[in-house]
């Protein structure tokens, strides 16, 4: 089970930190995806516990940072320099895989999503 939290309303240039609390079976990777109205769900970032490997979409690289503590089963997404185009529902998801992690189809478990709204 995954529980995402930390969303809200922020002005452009501001920051938010999302949290994803995982319970139950521990999986290899936790990812963040987002979906804006009328658009497809898109990859944001992932953290793979083995090797503590992280990756980001080009649209958030340099502004967002994913981190986590596998022992505490919690993953964070620190979002800085937010832009109106970052507005979306953000989902965390868990995958048993260690490859192909930018694709939503690699993730077997999904949280309920948290709304992030960035005003201009």
């Amino acid at each position: 089970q995954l529980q995402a939290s930390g969303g809200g309303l922020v002005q452009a240039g501001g920051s938010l930190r999302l949290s994803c609390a995982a319970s139950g079976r521990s999986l290899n990777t936790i990812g963040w995806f987002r979906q804006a109205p009328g658009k497809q769900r898109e990859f944001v970032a992932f953290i793979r516990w083995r090797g503590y490997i992280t990756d980001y979409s080009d649209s958030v690289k340099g502004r967002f940072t994913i981190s986590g503590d596998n022992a505490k089963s919690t993953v964070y997404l620190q979002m800085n320099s937010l832009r109106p185009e970052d507005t979306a529902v953000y989902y965390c998801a868990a995958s048993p895989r260690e490859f192909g992690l930018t694709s939503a189809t690699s993730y077997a478990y999904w949280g309920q999503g948290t709304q992030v709204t960035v005003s201009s």
Side-chain angles (χ1 to χ4, degrees), residues 6-11 15-16 82 87 115-120:
L9 173 64
V10 64
Q11 288 187 333
S15 299
L16 282 174
L82 282 162
T87 295
Q115 176 71 46
V116 171
T117 303
V118 184
S119 63
S120 57

Side-chain angles (χ1 to χ4, degrees), residues 21-36:
S23 60
R25 179 183 174 188
S26 177
L27 295 178
N28 290 323
T29 302
I30 300 292
W32 285 98
F33 290 76
R34 66 186 182 186
Q35 189 166 18

Side-chain angles (χ1 to χ4, degrees), residues 29 33 43 45-46 48 95 97-104 106-107:
T29 302
F33 290 76
F43 165 73
F46 72 73
R48 193 186 78 178
S95 173
R97 300 182 180 182
E98 294 189 338
F99 301 96
L101 296 169
T102 61
S103 172
S106 295
Y107 292 80

Side-chain angles (χ1 to χ4, degrees), residues 33-44 87-89 91 104:
F33 290 76
R34 66 186 182 186
Q35 189 166 18
K39 295 187 177 181
Q40 289 188 334
R41 191 169 297 190
E42 65 171 351
F43 165 73
V44 175
T87 295
V89 177
Y91 299 88

Side-chain angles (χ1 to χ4, degrees), residues 1-115:
Q1 186 175 0
L2 299 167
Q3 183 77 27
S5 62
L9 173 64
V10 64
Q11 288 187 333
S15 299
L16 282 174
R17 189 176 81 157
L18 305 184
S19 298
C20 177
S23 60
R25 179 183 174 188
S26 177
L27 295 178
N28 290 323
T29 302
I30 300 292
W32 285 98
F33 290 76
R34 66 186 182 186
Q35 189 166 18
K39 295 187 177 181
Q40 289 188 334
R41 191 169 297 190
E42 65 171 351
F43 165 73
V44 175
F46 72 73
I47 183 166
R48 193 186 78 178
W49 297 122
R50 188 169 70 91
Y52 205 84
I53 302 298
T54 61
D55 196 15
Y56 302 88
S57 68
D58 288 343
S59 62
V60 308
K61 198 170 291 184
R63 300 188 297 123
F64 291 12
T65 303
I66 189 170
S67 62
D69 185 333
N70 194 16
K72 296 182 180 179
S73 299
T74 303
V75 172
Y76 304 100
L77 185 68
Q78 178 66 44
M79 307 187 296
N80 298 329
S81 302
L82 282 162
R83 304 166 180 169
E85 54 263 40
D86 294 318
T87 295
V89 177
Y90 283 70
Y91 299 88
C92 63
S95 173
R97 300 182 180 182
E98 294 189 338
F99 301 96
L101 296 169
T102 61
S103 172
T105 58
S106 295
Y107 292 80
Y109 306 96
W110 292 82
Q112 86 289 359
T114 185
Q115 176 71 46

